Amino acid sequence: MPGIALLCCLDGPVDGSRPKFQQALQSACLFDDYAARIDFQDSRTLVGSACYPAYPLCRMESPELVVWLDGRIYGIAESRLQSELLPLVEEVFRNWGSRQDRLGSWMLSTDGEFVLVAHHKPTGRWACWNDLCCRLPLYLYRESACLALSRNIHVVSALAEPRRFDLMAIAQFLLFDFAL
């Protein structure tokens, strides 16, 4: 699955994780025309993607924001996309911690298959949300020091520490078709 990926180190600089992140993105390049690239880096965060050339991933930027749109929003012309999304995302960060009525009404009135990832430069905050029906998969892995978010499970599993299988859950799934 092509798409965006984010790695955030919660307790220190991300520099040491860059090679591992690049390798995780590369592991998601399942076909010859896929390319892995790191699109953004600050002291604690890396944003990259693994996708083919025509994949709908666009980056929008203003003096205060960097916003990535992974997927498509229907009914909005590409020429209007930036002028509609950037003010909405600015309002999300301006009203951080309070009700997001405008975002809620925008989500209810917007059709598409998308994931939005946004960075507010002055505060260093990040926000991520997908379409109302969550049509595009989004995987999250968190350990004590890092947070990985990706559209591709290969990226998250490559960044995660190796884990053992839960044998009881496997047995329950094989017996009952779901884990108790």
Side-chain angles (χ1 to χ4, degrees):
M1 176 92 28
I4 195 165
L6 178 134
L7 177 68
C8 181
C9 291
L10 305 172
D11 65 350
V14 76
D15 292 333
S17 301
R18 187 180 172 99
K20 187 175 182 181
F21 186 65
Q22 181 70 39
Q23 189 176 18
L25 289 173
Q26 199 62 44
S27 75
C29 294
L30 303 176
F31 301 104
D32 293 337
D33 62 340
Y34 277 45
R37 72 171 212 254
I38 295 177
D39 190 42
F40 176 86
Q41 179 175 355
D42 68 6
S43 63
R44 293 179 186 252
T45 310
L46 291 165
V47 178
S49 63
C51 50
Y52 51 88
Y55 185 77
L57 176 65
C58 71
R59 176 182 167 153
M60 297 167 258
E61 198 162 350
S62 74
E64 291 190 354
L65 297 172
V66 184
V67 178
W68 291 266
L69 172 64
D70 184 338
R72 298 192 192 288
I73 295 176
Y74 306 130
I76 300 175
E78 283 190 39
S79 59
R80 283 196 8 217
L81 204 54
Q82 186 166 341
S83 63
E84 186 167 324
L85 283 179
L86 288 178
L88 175 72
V89 175
E90 283 177 10
E91 187 172 326
V92 166
F93 286 111
R94 191 172 37 254
N95 297 329
W96 193 266
S98 62
R99 286 180 53 125
Q100 297 288 340
D101 292 332
R102 182 164 178 238
L103 176 62
S105 63
W106 181 82
M107 293 289 290
L108 288 170
S109 66
T110 301
D111 187 23
E113 300 172 351
F114 61 89
V115 172
L116 275 167
V117 176
H119 174 57
H120 190 240
K121 296 175 193 176
T123 61
R125 289 189 169 139
W126 288 85
C128 177
W129 63 91
N130 44 355
D131 63 271
L132 195 60
C133 296
C134 301
R135 293 180 184 115
L136 299 180
L138 197 57
Y139 302 97
L140 175 69
Y141 171 74
R142 180 164 190 231
E143 62 180 34
S144 60
C146 284
L147 177 86
L149 178 80
S150 178
R151 287 269 340 279
N152 191 314
I153 199 162
H154 291 285
V155 174
V156 173
S157 63
L159 292 170
E161 295 298 319
R163 307 252 178 182
R164 292 179 14 142
F165 288 107
D166 183 343
L167 298 179
M168 183 56 74
I170 292 171
Q172 290 170 351
F173 182 78
L174 291 173
L175 183 61
F176 303 115
D177 204 22
F178 63 91
L180 299 174

